[in-house]
Amino acid sequence: MSSQHPPTGSRLGRRNDPERRDKIIDACLIVIAQSGVTGTSHRKVAAQAGVPLGAMTYYFDGMQDLLHSAFTNLAIRVSGEFERSMATATDKQSACEKVFERILQASSGDDDELILSHELYTLATRDTTFRSITSEWMRRSRIALELHFDPLTARLLDAMIEGVTIHRALDSEPRDPQEIRAAIARITGNPSFDS
Amino acid sequence: MSSQHPPTGSRLGRRNDPERRDKIIDACLIVIAQSGVTGTSHRKVAAQAGVPLGAMTYYFDGMQDLLHSAFTNLAIRVSGEFERSMATATDKQSACEKVFERILQASSGDDDELILSHELYTLATRDTTFRSITSEWMRRSRIALELHFDPLTARLLDAMIEGVTIHRALDSEPRDPQEIRAAIARITGNPSFDS
DNA sequence: GACATTTGAGTACGTTCGTACATATACTTG
DNA sequence: CAAGTATATGTACGAACGTACTCAAATGTC
């Protein structure tokens, strides 16, 4: 008993798999979503990614570096999606509709985005290193919104998205989607959206 | 060397110090604010509280119970403060002013409230047990706001407070306080507040 | 004052963690 | 094909962790 590893200890040696690093990052986000940053360890991530433990310290300079890389990836992916979504809007009205969809989707809990972003916020509140990620994320959101709204409205709308999303997620009673429309209507000064 | 404890191993025995439990809870919040839930351990909290390690398992049924008690305490304290603040407002205008002060103070980073609430949100996003705390917290905020605003406006305002606070905290560039006034003005439909 | 009970403290155990490091393999170069 | 290098891996180590458990001291009871 106690066969710790495949019978033949096959060390692959120089294989330079460029996807290896990305696989670890993806696995890291999965583990964080499941267990939180608190419960994330090199061993869990390695297991999730299907790579040996030694690969963790090989590709990343410790836990901090791993987390930073993982959250940077997340921020780039999510803000990219939002940019693309906003870019498809043709006017204020359809832009409002996109924002509505975004809040609805983000607060639905159907994916891990909400959990992961909270984990990131928690790190960023304490650590300046991570704040550069959130800062850049917000900057890109704002710019995407400024395709359709003036700068101040874009900032307020961005903040409102955040607040409504969180409140919807952290309340145990379900919230009426109509509330989202009211929020957007008041911030943008577009009363017709609140129908 | 290696004197682990006061020279005289004075076991105090039945002393029933009712403050002991509260001291541990306060210490726990301090440790969380410093090191995050991630970095919080029984040993650190015990050291901060000046109680022996054994006291931790005596007063609390494990880490989960400790965290739950600590965050419940936090929620009660903070929402109590907000209720009292809102109760002193005499009309819509002064209520808006109170809300303004609240956002300014919460996002200033002068105390640990912001850090702690994020840590709580992160737990609540994943764990229903903690969501009852956030849920109750939001309920009380909403009721406090409903002293001066209609229910829908109260909800939106509450969400806006959250969003603006977070954005102010997680941006590396400073934000103009005037932005807060604009947000309140638009949500409450009180244009005169945005001056 | 003797005994029982409650309250609290100290310690030891088994687990898990991050990381360092020796070393095996694959590739490159001559 | 030999020598060298870059790449990747398995493992071992010390530190820190949560928790269970034993037992001392103070209090309650008669």
Side-chain angles (χ1 to χ4, degrees), chain A residues 32-38 114-115 118-119 121-122 124-126 131-132 134-135 138-139 142 150 152-153 155-160 162-164 166-167 169-173 175 179-180 182-183 186-189 194, chain B residues 32-38 114-115 118-119 121-122 124-126 131-132 134-135 138-139 142 150 152-153 155-160 162-164 166-167 169-173 175 179-180 182-183 186-189 194:
Chain A
I32 293 173
Q34 280 174 355
S35 317
V37 169
T38 308
L114 186 74
I115 293 184
H118 270 123
E119 295 280 351
Y121 294 171
T122 299
T125 319
R126 195 187 330 279
R131 205 167 309 156
S132 66
T134 56
S135 206
M138 290 192 307
R139 199 184 63 82
R142 219 169 50 222
D150 67 277
L152 175 59
T153 301
R155 280 171 189 272
L156 298 183
L157 202 46
D158 200 22
M160 191 79 210
E162 196 71 56
V164 173
I166 290 180
H167 271 60
L170 295 188
D171 205 340
S172 15
E173 331 162 11
R175 298 284 192 104
E179 196 178 299
I180 304 177
R186 293 197 190 181
I187 293 294
T188 62
D194 183 10
Chain B
I32 294 173
Q34 280 173 355
S35 317
V37 169
T38 308
L114 186 75
I115 292 184
H118 269 121
E119 295 280 351
Y121 293 171
T122 299
T125 319
R126 194 187 326 283
R131 206 167 309 155
S132 65
T134 57
S135 207
M138 291 191 307
R139 198 185 63 82
R142 219 168 51 221
D150 67 279
L152 176 59
T153 301
R155 281 170 188 272
L156 298 183
L157 204 44
D158 200 21
M160 191 79 209
E162 196 71 55
V164 173
I166 290 180
H167 271 59
L170 296 187
D171 205 340
S172 16
E173 329 163 11
R175 298 283 191 106
E179 195 177 301
I180 303 176
R186 294 197 190 182
I187 293 294
T188 61
D194 183 11

